């Protein structure tokens, strides 16, 4: 649904065939979002009319990543897609994962970084979808949290609370932080070379992105 920002009145409404878990993305008067009905939708932001729908083999629960006129999205069908943002036509597909893609992907310098529930983090060439690392990085648990870049390092958290700093070009582990004794599901946040991690124990951690050293952690209360 689209609501008037001034008074909250309903401007338009669009219904997919199943629940929508993901946050929409709005680019150039187009709303992009995935649904558990297996489809990625592009709607006119002004009136809600459908521009196109792209069907995958599973539900879509992550926010789409849009870079350079291309939509990058993973699905519960274990595949990762690049789709033309204007036409909805597939540009490439990556089929090398062993489980669902849940979190939003990350773009940097021609490479897409995406975590999967198969415990692996994949680096893909944004142009053709081929692997950009010699091999994907294997974390100790499912990767549901969206990665970030901090201090020139790709920072990834697995669900069991392990945090990894990875080399952007090779995927090799530069550091590992094991001080979080709680699940990590929320997207990571990066600013000023630091990475901020919100945990299921209601604690917030700040780590140095380059070294993985803990700066501080605080309890957010209940």
């Amino acid at each position: 649904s689209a609501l008037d920002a001034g008074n909250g009145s309903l401007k338009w409404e669009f219904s997919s065939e199943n629940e929508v878990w993901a946050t929409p993305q709005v680019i150039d008067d187009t709303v992009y979002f995935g649904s558990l009905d297996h489809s990625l939708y592009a709607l006119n932001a002004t009136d809600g009319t459908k521009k196109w729908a792209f069907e995958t083999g599973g539900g879509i629960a992550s926010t789409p990543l849009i870079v350079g006129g291309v939509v990058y999205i993973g699905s519960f069908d274990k595949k990762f897609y690049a789709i033309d943002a204007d036409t909805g036509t597939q540009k490439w597909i990556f089929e090398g994962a062993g489980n669902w893609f849940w979190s939003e992907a990350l773009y940097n310098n021609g490479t897409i970084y995406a975590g999967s529930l198969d415990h692996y983090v994949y680096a893909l060439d944004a142009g053709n979808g081929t692997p950009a690392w010699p091999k994907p990085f294997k974390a100790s648990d499912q990767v549901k949290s969206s990665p970030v870049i901090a201090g020139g390092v790709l920072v990834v958290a697995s669900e069991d609370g392990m945090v990894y700093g990875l080399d952007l070009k090779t995927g090799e582990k530069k550091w590992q932080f094991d001080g979080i004794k709680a699940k990590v599901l929320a997207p990571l946040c990066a600013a000023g070379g630091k990475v901020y991690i919100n945990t299921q124990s209601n604690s917030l951690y700040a780590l140095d992105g380059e070294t993985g050293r803990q700066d501080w952690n605080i309890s957010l209360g209940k």
Side-chain angles (χ1 to χ4, degrees):
S1 301
L3 306 180
D4 187 288
N7 57 30
S9 62
L10 182 67
K11 299 188 71 171
W12 55 257
E13 189 172 33
F14 177 86
S15 294
S16 63
E17 299 299 319
N18 206 327
E19 295 178 354
V20 176
W21 288 359
T23 302
Q25 189 78 274
V26 182
I27 302 288
D28 297 332
D29 199 39
T30 301
V31 180
Y32 301 90
F33 69 95
S35 169
L36 296 190
D37 69 4
H38 299 193
S39 290
L40 175 73
Y41 294 94
L43 308 182
N44 184 301
T46 303
D47 58 17
T49 54
K50 185 172 69 176
K51 291 188 173 183
W52 52 258
F54 179 88
E55 186 174 356
T56 72
I60 299 174
S62 59
T63 298
L65 170 68
I66 304 170
V67 180
V70 180
V71 184
Y72 300 95
I73 193 79
S75 170
F76 287 179
D77 63 3
K78 309 177 187 178
K79 300 174 184 177
F80 193 90
Y81 300 85
I83 303 157
D84 187 283
D86 290 329
T87 64
T89 56
Q90 179 179 299
K91 296 179 71 71
W92 53 257
I93 181 174
F94 172 73
E95 301 183 85
N99 207 329
W100 298 355
F101 286 97
W102 191 287
S103 59
E104 182 178 358
L106 174 69
Y107 173 88
N108 182 71
N109 197 28
T111 303
I112 302 293
Y113 301 97
S116 170
L117 300 197
D118 66 2
H119 299 198
Y120 283 97
V121 178
Y122 298 91
L124 307 174
D125 184 289
N128 57 28
T130 58
W133 290 342
K135 60 181 180 180
F137 174 78
K138 188 174 184 179
S140 58
D141 200 359
Q142 298 180 338
V143 181
K144 292 183 178 178
S145 174
S146 302
V148 293
I149 295 172
V153 175
L154 180 70
V155 183
V156 177
S158 53
E159 184 174 357
D160 59 2
M162 297 295 291
V163 187
Y164 307 92
L166 308 180
D167 186 282
L168 287 165
K169 294 185 181 298
T170 67
E172 293 182 3
K173 184 171 67 175
K174 299 171 75 74
W175 55 259
Q176 178 175 317
F177 180 76
D178 59 3
I180 300 174
K181 306 303 181 184
K183 289 186 176 182
V184 176
L185 303 176
L188 305 184
C189 180
K194 309 297 182 184
V195 57
Y196 301 93
I197 305 156
N198 194 6
T199 74
Q200 293 289 290
S201 63
N202 294 320
S203 294
L204 180 68
Y205 290 76
L207 307 182
D208 181 82
E210 184 177 1
T211 66
R213 184 188 67 249
Q214 177 178 306
D215 283 358
W216 47 261
N217 76 83
I218 60 171
S219 175
L220 301 177
K222 295 183 179 180

